[in-house]
Amino acid sequence: MSAPSSDAIFPVPASWQRRAWFDNAAYRRDYQRSMHDPQRFWAEQAEHLDWFHHPTRIRDVSYGPEDIHIRWFEDGVLNASVNCLDRHLLERARKAAIVWEGDDPAESRTLSYAELHAEVCRLANGLKSLGICKGDRVTVYLPMVPEAAVAMLACARIGAMHSVVFAGFSAESLAGRIRDCDAKLLITADEGMRGGRRFALKANADEALKRCPSVQACVVLRRTGGEVAWLDGRDRWYHELVDHQASNCEPETMNAEDPLFVLYTSGSTGKPKGVLHTTAGYLLAASLTHRYVLDYHDEDVFWCTADIGWVTGHSYIVYGPLANGATTVMFEGVPTWPDASRFWQVIDKHRVSIFYTAPTAIRALIRQGDAPVRATSRKSLRLLGSVGEPINPEAWLWYYNVVGEQRCPIVDTWWQTETGASVIAPLPGAIATKPGSATLPFFGVEPVIVDEDGRVLEGECEGRLCLRDGGPGMLRTLYRDHDRFVQTYFSACPGLYFTGDGARRDKDGYFWITGRVDDVINVSGHRLGTAEVESALVAHPEVAEAAVVGYPHPVKGQGIYAYVTLKANTQPSDELRNALGQWVRKEIGPIAAPDQIQWASSLPKTRSGKIMRRVLRKIAAGDTTDLGDTSTLADATMVESLIDGRRTIA
Ligand code: WTA
């Protein structure tokens, strides 16, 4: 076993060069073609989709500086649900489309392509009976059950846009996301199940809907049978809605650039942004990367452990795999329940061959030792994937050596809600890997690294990661806020899309993502804006001011560190600290609760009143040897007292 070193190179195994879709020469050839003749390259790739009308206008993209627009396959006509369902019915009607593994290991369910098609059509008809039409928004607030995928596809079938909200978000967060897009309908469940415990959904939905006048109906799935309050006239049981519907529903004809969904994600400022994806480009990017990066072949069983509430769940539980006619595993539970072998047991139970998870899960499992892994066979596995945050070389090597027994290549896939699908990632038959590097760009993607002034750097370098082209999967706008779209992504480096991440390029041209350079933190692979957590904290009656930063956390990647200044007559106490934690859970959701709260008599600011986050980040990380230039601080002694205060925190 090699020592943990990020310089190690893992060549492509010979068997993979023969079997995978691309070897190195083919990757290089097609990458060049995708750059030099994008119209022809993408016209060919577009034939992976089923069209009602094939596109003739392939690519019309400008990242500015003047005109900013992204349009792909503009005159094509198709339906995403037809691509994920109907086109497989001839050859794969009885093939498992979704294998659902419940939180309880005794519970599982399989839906064939024929069954999934019928379910989707019934719900689509049900939605129509409630008055939902093409272009309407439907918010989906469901646990990890097959009906979540059914709901997404039913929306796609009738041309409604779905907006899936992670079931761990609070009533407040749900309400904000419903209101932002004026959803007409909410689909939720009585409760969810995770790690042996129930959690409320309908109760949160009731709370949220008090403030959401646009919602005319609430469809409720019975998951646990838990008690729920009921508003006659508004609330409808899912099973009653779909029971008498026909299992056929004529798909809506959609233009390639008609919206498919909106998905809210955190940015460095303000409230979450509604990232908008359209039909054809997104679907093609998700399905191509699922096929080529995750090396999907017909006989594979594919498992992505993400939640449907995040983009990874959208692209690699639902759209990518189903567009490719794959068997996709959907897991309701958590990696450590009933015990730390659960992931590996599920792999054995369903003979999973391709497994895609997040570094935070790997790090949490490393802590449990090798025995829970070794207790299982995992012989069905042939490829491992990683997504969501930088994977540290130690975690990479454990994943490779212990989980994959040095037999399975690892694909570290870098991408974002905004890019829709993987954009920097190895093709496993083509590209030698290095632990901790996402390696090279996918077809059609041109990453560039720029310095702080926006100048493009060449060769070996480190700086901010931008894209000169992100391919067909890129977001088209922020829902109803095109100015913010332009401002957020295209103003930092004119002519380029700015990702918010830092990156290094090594001598082989490989990319190493160094993490966010903006005020977004990545907690266990969940994206959070420090501004959101701060505004939740200052909404508490005892809080005068708050500053939130990320700090290195051994399992979560980054933890949330909050500096809190209390109102004049409030005394700090452990009770108040706990109360603030509870408060943030209620305002945003459990994922946003601070790991550490430090009381601060005041916060370090420049003379112009800007909080010096750079200093706060260093103090939180316990790294105070070089705080950089603090000469612009209005009050320099305060930094000393913050450093003292840091020592009192564990
Ligand atoms: C981070 C998740 C390093 C990055 C798909 C990005 C990664 C943010 C990786 C997007 C990776 C994702 N290596 N960092 N392989 N994958 N990230 O929108 O900071 O939830 O900007 O999309 O996650 O998070 P999002």
Side-chain angles (χ1 to χ4, degrees):
M1 185 169 145
S2 39
S5 151
S6 53
D7 296 333
I9 296 185
F10 290 73
V12 176
S15 58
W16 273 78
Q17 293 181 31
R18 287 190 300 273
R19 185 180 188 280
W21 296 103
F22 289 86
D23 64 13
N24 190 272
Y27 162 71
R28 291 195 183 271
R29 187 195 60 221
D30 273 19
Y31 181 74
Q32 289 308 328
R33 283 186 58 225
S34 75
M35 286 292 115
H36 296 130
D37 192 1
Q39 305 288 345
R40 167 134 16 130
F41 179 83
W42 287 108
E44 286 166 19
Q45 300 305 318
E47 292 310 304
H48 285 290
L49 297 180
D50 251 30
W51 300 88
F52 298 139
H53 179 280
H54 290 258
T56 60
R57 304 219 300 271
I58 302 301
R59 177 181 182 275
D60 177 10
V61 173
S62 168
Y63 285 6
E66 263 79 60
D67 183 25
I68 294 168
H69 64 261
I70 306 176
R71 292 192 277 266
W72 286 82
F73 314 117
E74 254 182 291
D75 59 343
V77 179
L78 77 172
N79 182 288
S81 83
V82 169
N83 275 276
C84 292
L85 301 167
D86 307 49
R87 68 160 157 167
H88 307 309
L89 292 182
L90 215 52
E91 287 179 358
R92 301 187 184 85
R94 282 198 273 173
K95 177 176 176 174
I98 296 180
V99 171
W100 175 75
E101 169 77 12
D103 185 54
D104 177 345
E107 261 193 291
S108 59
R109 229 175 111 189
T110 299
L111 277 96
S112 68
Y113 271 94
E115 288 163 340
L116 184 61
H117 175 266
E119 283 284 312
V120 167
C121 286
R122 274 195 284 268
L123 181 60
N125 287 327
L127 296 180
K128 285 210 267 192
S129 77
L130 294 174
I132 303 300
C133 309
K134 182 172 180 172
D136 286 343
R137 278 79 52 212
V138 172
T139 299
V140 176
Y141 184 59
L142 283 172
M144 286 289 286
V145 290
E147 286 78 5
V150 171
M152 292 162 74
L153 293 168
C155 289
R157 191 147 194 103
I158 62 173
M161 295 161 65
H162 55 74
S163 162
V164 182
V165 177
F166 175 52
F169 276 128
S170 66
E172 185 65 34
S173 300
L174 173 63
R177 286 158 173 78
I178 292 174
R179 273 204 308 261
D180 189 80
C181 68
D182 283 327
K184 249 178 145 172
L185 183 94
L186 175 65
I187 306 180
T188 187
D190 48 4
E191 297 171 312
M193 283 294 289
R194 259 183 123 235
R197 279 197 291 240
R198 297 171 172 209
F199 59 91
L201 286 170
K202 176 64 162 60
N204 288 352
D206 288 336
E207 186 61 35
L209 290 184
K210 284 184 195 155
R211 280 158 286 159
C212 298
S214 64
V215 172
Q216 296 162 5
C218 177
V219 176
V220 185
L221 177 77
R222 189 177 272 152
R223 165 64 190 106
T224 64
E227 288 242 346
V228 291
W230 207 253
L231 190 64
D232 284 326
R234 184 196 70 187
D235 297 345
R236 303 283 298 258
W237 283 111
Y238 182 103
H239 56 270
E240 288 174 4
L241 177 68
V242 299
D243 260 1
H244 303 291
Q245 301 293 344
S247 56
N248 251 322
C249 171
E250 196 58 32
E252 193 68 46
T253 50
M254 303 299 285
N255 183 269
E257 283 297 342
D258 280 338
L260 180 60
F261 65 85
V262 59
L263 180 58
Y264 288 87
T265 190
S266 298
S268 37
T269 55
K271 58 185 174 66
K273 308 176 286 198
V275 167
L276 184 113
H277 284 290
T278 56
T279 305
Y282 168 81
L283 192 62
L284 184 62
S287 60
L288 275 188
T289 50
H290 175 255
R291 185 191 303 261
Y292 297 149
V293 176
L294 294 157
D295 194 59
Y296 172 74
H297 288 72
D298 227 6
E299 64 280 13
D300 282 309
V301 174
F302 178 81
W303 182 17
C304 164
T305 68
D307 193 282
I308 214 105
W310 312 116
V311 73
T312 310
H314 282 57
S315 303
Y316 300 109
I317 296 176
V318 181
Y319 288 110
L322 295 178
N324 289 331
T327 297
T328 180
V329 176
M330 184 189 244
F331 177 44
E332 187 181 30
V334 297
T336 47
W337 194 86
D339 59 58
S341 259
R342 188 70 194 276
F343 268 0
W344 327 120
Q345 290 158 1
V346 174
I347 286 171
D348 285 351
K349 178 172 171 186
H350 299 296
R351 290 194 263 313
V352 171
S353 53
I354 308 172
F355 179 65
Y356 192 32
T357 196
T360 186
I362 298 168
R363 287 191 298 265
L365 291 169
I366 290 177
R367 296 197 146 190
Q368 312 279 336
D370 298 358
V373 190
R374 305 239 190 253
T376 61
S377 148
R378 285 156 288 112
K379 69 173 189 303
S380 55
L381 278 181
R382 60 179 197 85
L383 181 67
L384 300 172
S386 171
V387 58
E389 43 172 330
I391 180 164
N392 47 312
E394 296 72 21
W396 196 103
L397 288 168
W398 185 83
Y399 200 24
Y400 181 78
N401 288 317
V402 180
V403 176
E405 294 175 339
Q406 307 185 342
R407 183 181 74 239
C408 309
I410 293 183
V411 287
D412 174 5
T413 61
W414 176 84
W415 56 294
Q416 313 178 293
T417 306
E418 291 86 342
T419 68
S422 293
V423 280
I424 303 181
L427 303 189
I431 299 169
T433 53
K434 305 183 190 185
S437 170
T439 75
L440 298 171
F442 189 69
F443 304 128
V445 175
E446 191 181 0
V448 289
I449 296 182
V450 303
D451 67 12
E452 300 234 330
D453 302 318
R455 272 190 303 260
V456 174
L457 304 172
E458 304 293 339
E460 269 181 82
C461 57
E462 181 163 349
R464 298 168 175 222
L465 181 63
C466 292
L467 302 174
R468 188 166 278 137
D469 194 340
M474 290 299 281
L475 81 167
R476 301 302 195 253
T477 188
L478 294 177
Y479 191 62
R480 289 183 180 161
D481 203 349
H482 197 69
D483 288 347
R484 191 175 175 201
F485 165 75
V486 170
Q487 174 64 28
T488 308
Y489 302 109
F490 297 94
S491 66
C493 318
L496 302 173
Y497 164 88
F498 174 49
T499 65
D501 278 306
R504 177 166 72 79
R505 185 167 46 214
D506 72 14
K507 61 177 182 355
D508 299 321
Y510 278 39
F511 290 89
W512 301 73
I513 311 300
T514 52
R516 302 288 300 200
V517 295
D518 55 7
D519 290 318
V520 169
I521 46 183
N522 194 324
V523 185
S524 300
H526 304 322
R527 232 171 112 166
L528 282 168
T530 52
E532 286 166 74
V533 186
E534 285 165 5
S535 72
L537 283 167
V538 296
H540 188 278
E542 310 293 348
V543 174
E545 202 173 21
V548 169
V549 295
Y551 73 106
H553 187 286
V555 173
K556 298 178 170 185
Q558 281 191 298
I560 304 176
Y561 198 103
Y563 297 87
V564 171
T565 306
L566 295 172
K567 295 235 169 104
N569 297 322
T570 304
Q571 290 306 312
S573 67
D574 284 345
E575 290 76 62
L576 183 54
R577 199 190 296 269
N578 291 338
L580 289 182
Q582 286 306 321
W583 175 266
V584 176
R585 287 171 166 261
K586 197 172 158 292
E587 290 282 303
I588 305 177
I591 55 168
D595 297 278
Q596 305 282 6
I597 293 179
Q598 177 175 341
W599 307 119
S601 53
S602 55
L603 297 171
K605 292 188 186 147
T606 61
R607 289 193 181 86
S608 59
K610 261 188 91 171
I611 293 178
M612 291 187 83
R613 293 170 179 285
R614 177 176 52 80
V615 172
L616 291 177
R617 269 196 288 269
K618 287 213 129 190
I619 297 175
D623 167 20
T624 50
T625 42
D626 174 22
L627 288 179
D629 181 12
T630 51
S631 59
T632 53
L633 267 179
D635 172 7
T637 60
M638 170 204 309
V639 169
E640 285 307 316
S641 83
L642 285 174
I643 294 173
D644 283 346
R646 173 71 177 96
R647 292 200 189 97
T648 64
I649 307 261

Coordinates of all heavy atoms in Angstrom, one line a residue, residues 265 311-312 386-391 412-418 499 501 513 515-516 522 525 527, ligand 1:
T265 N -29.8 27.3 -4.4 CA -28.5 27.0 -3.8 C -28.0 28.3 -3.2 O -28.4 29.4 -3.6 CB -27.6 26.4 -4.9 OG1 -26.4 25.9 -4.2 CG2 -27.2 27.4 -5.9
V311 N -28.4 19.0 -6.2 CA -28.2 18.7 -7.7 C -27.7 17.3 -8.0 O -28.0 16.7 -9.0 CB -27.3 19.8 -8.3 CG1 -25.9 19.7 -8.0 CG2 -27.5 19.9 -9.8
T312 N -26.8 16.8 -7.1 CA -26.3 15.5 -7.4 C -27.4 14.4 -7.5 O -27.3 13.5 -8.3 CB -25.2 15.1 -6.3 OG1 -24.3 16.2 -6.1 CG2 -24.5 13.9 -6.7
S386 N -16.5 10.2 -6.4 CA -16.6 11.1 -5.2 C -17.1 12.5 -5.7 O -16.7 12.9 -6.9 CB -15.1 11.3 -4.7 OG -15.1 12.3 -3.7
V387 N -17.8 13.2 -4.9 CA -18.4 14.5 -5.3 C -18.8 15.3 -4.1 O -19.1 14.8 -3.1 CB -19.7 14.3 -6.2 CG1 -20.7 13.5 -5.4 CG2 -20.3 15.6 -6.6
G388 N -18.7 16.6 -4.3 CA -19.3 17.5 -3.4 C -18.3 18.4 -2.7 O -18.6 19.5 -2.2
E389 N -17.1 18.0 -2.5 CA -16.0 18.8 -1.8 C -14.7 18.2 -2.2 O -14.6 17.0 -2.7 CB -16.3 18.7 -0.3 CG -16.6 17.3 0.1 CD -16.7 17.1 1.6 OE1 -16.0 17.8 2.4 OE2 -17.4 16.3 2.0
P390 N -13.6 18.9 -1.9 CA -12.3 18.3 -2.2 C -12.1 17.0 -1.4 O -12.5 17.0 -0.2 CB -11.3 19.4 -1.7 CG -12.1 20.6 -1.7 CD -13.5 20.2 -1.3
I391 N -11.6 16.0 -2.0 CA -11.3 14.7 -1.2 C -9.9 14.8 -0.8 O -9.0 14.9 -1.7 CB -11.8 13.5 -2.0 CG1 -11.5 12.2 -1.2 CG2 -11.1 13.4 -3.4 CD1 -12.2 11.0 -1.7
D412 N -13.0 11.4 -9.2 CA -13.3 12.6 -8.4 C -13.9 13.6 -9.3 O -13.2 14.1 -10.2 CB -12.0 13.0 -7.7 CG -12.1 14.3 -6.9 OD1 -13.3 14.8 -6.8 OD2 -11.1 14.8 -6.5
T413 N -15.2 13.9 -9.1 CA -15.9 14.7 -10.1 C -16.2 16.1 -9.5 O -16.9 16.2 -8.5 CB -17.2 14.0 -10.4 OG1 -18.0 14.0 -9.2 CG2 -17.0 12.6 -11.0
W414 N -15.6 17.1 -10.2 CA -15.9 18.5 -9.7 C -17.0 19.1 -10.6 O -16.9 19.1 -11.8 CB -14.6 19.4 -9.8 CG -14.9 20.8 -9.4 CD1 -15.0 21.3 -8.2 CD2 -15.3 21.8 -10.3 NE1 -15.4 22.6 -8.2 CE2 -15.6 23.0 -9.5 CE3 -15.5 21.9 -11.7 CZ2 -16.0 24.2 -10.0 CZ3 -15.9 23.2 -12.2 CH2 -16.2 24.3 -11.4
W415 N -17.9 19.7 -9.9 CA -19.0 20.4 -10.6 C -19.8 21.1 -9.5 O -19.5 21.2 -8.4 CB -19.8 19.5 -11.4 CG -20.5 18.3 -10.7 CD1 -19.9 17.2 -10.2 CD2 -21.9 18.1 -10.6 NE1 -20.8 16.3 -9.7 CE2 -22.1 16.8 -9.9 CE3 -23.0 18.8 -11.0 CZ2 -23.3 16.3 -9.6 CZ3 -24.3 18.2 -10.7 CH2 -24.4 17.0 -10.0
Q416 N -20.9 21.8 -10.0 CA -21.7 22.6 -9.1 C -23.2 22.6 -9.6 O -23.4 22.2 -10.7 CB -21.3 24.1 -9.3 CG -19.8 24.3 -9.2 CD -19.5 25.8 -9.5 OE1 -19.7 26.4 -10.5 NE2 -19.0 26.5 -8.4
T417 N -24.1 23.0 -8.7 CA -25.5 23.1 -9.1 C -25.6 23.9 -10.4 O -26.3 23.5 -11.3 CB -26.2 23.9 -8.0 OG1 -26.0 23.3 -6.7 CG2 -27.7 24.0 -8.3
E418 N -24.7 24.9 -10.6 CA -24.8 25.7 -11.8 C -24.4 25.0 -13.0 O -24.8 25.3 -14.1 CB -23.9 26.9 -11.6 CG -24.4 27.9 -10.5 CD -23.9 27.6 -9.1 OE1 -23.5 26.5 -8.9 OE2 -24.0 28.5 -8.3
T499 N -16.5 30.5 -11.0 CA -17.1 29.4 -10.2 C -17.2 29.6 -8.8 O -18.0 28.9 -8.1 CB -16.2 28.1 -10.4 OG1 -14.9 28.4 -9.8 CG2 -16.0 27.8 -11.9
D501 N -14.7 28.9 -6.8 CA -13.7 28.0 -6.3 C -12.3 28.5 -6.6 O -12.1 29.2 -7.7 CB -13.9 26.6 -6.9 CG -14.9 25.8 -6.1 OD1 -14.8 25.7 -4.9 OD2 -15.9 25.3 -6.8
I513 N -8.8 21.2 -7.0 CA -9.7 22.2 -6.4 C -9.3 22.5 -5.0 O -9.2 21.6 -4.2 CB -11.2 21.8 -6.5 CG1 -11.5 21.2 -7.9 CG2 -12.1 22.9 -6.1 CD1 -11.4 22.2 -9.0
G515 N -11.0 24.7 -2.9 CA -12.2 25.1 -2.1 C -12.7 26.5 -2.5 O -12.1 27.1 -3.3
R516 N -13.8 26.9 -1.8 CA -14.4 28.1 -2.2 C -13.5 29.3 -1.8 O -12.9 29.3 -0.8 CB -15.7 28.3 -1.5 CG -16.7 27.2 -1.8 CD -17.3 27.2 -3.1 NE -18.0 28.4 -3.5 CZ -19.0 28.5 -4.5 NH1 -19.3 27.4 -5.2 NH2 -19.5 29.6 -4.7
N522 N -18.7 24.9 2.7 CA -19.1 23.6 2.3 C -19.1 22.6 3.5 O -18.0 22.1 3.9 CB -18.2 23.1 1.2 CG -18.7 21.9 0.4 OD1 -19.4 21.1 1.0 ND2 -18.5 21.9 -0.9
G525 N -20.4 18.6 2.4 CA -20.8 18.6 1.0 C -22.1 19.4 0.8 O -22.6 19.5 -0.3
R527 N -23.8 23.1 0.6 CA -23.4 24.4 0.3 C -24.2 25.4 1.2 O -25.4 25.4 1.1 CB -23.7 24.7 -1.1 CG -22.6 25.3 -1.9 CD -23.0 25.3 -3.3 NE -23.2 26.6 -3.8 CZ -23.3 27.0 -5.0 NH1 -23.3 26.0 -6.0 NH2 -23.4 28.2 -5.4
Ligands
WTA1 C1 -17.5 21.9 -4.2 C2 -22.3 19.8 -5.9 C3 -13.7 19.7 -4.8 C4 -17.0 23.1 -4.9 C5 -22.1 18.9 -7.1 C6 -18.2 23.6 -5.7 C7 -16.0 20.1 -5.1 C8 -19.3 23.2 -4.8 C9 -16.1 18.9 -5.8 C10 -20.6 23.0 -5.5 C11 -14.9 18.1 -6.0 C12 -18.0 19.9 -5.6 N1 -13.8 18.6 -5.5 N2 -14.8 20.5 -4.6 N3 -15.0 16.9 -6.6 N4 -17.4 18.8 -6.1 N5 -17.2 20.7 -5.0 O1 -23.6 23.3 -6.0 O2 -16.6 24.1 -3.9 O3 -23.8 21.7 -4.1 O4 -18.2 25.0 -6.0 O5 -22.8 21.0 -6.2 O6 -18.9 22.0 -4.1 O7 -21.6 22.5 -4.6 P1 -23.1 22.2 -5.2

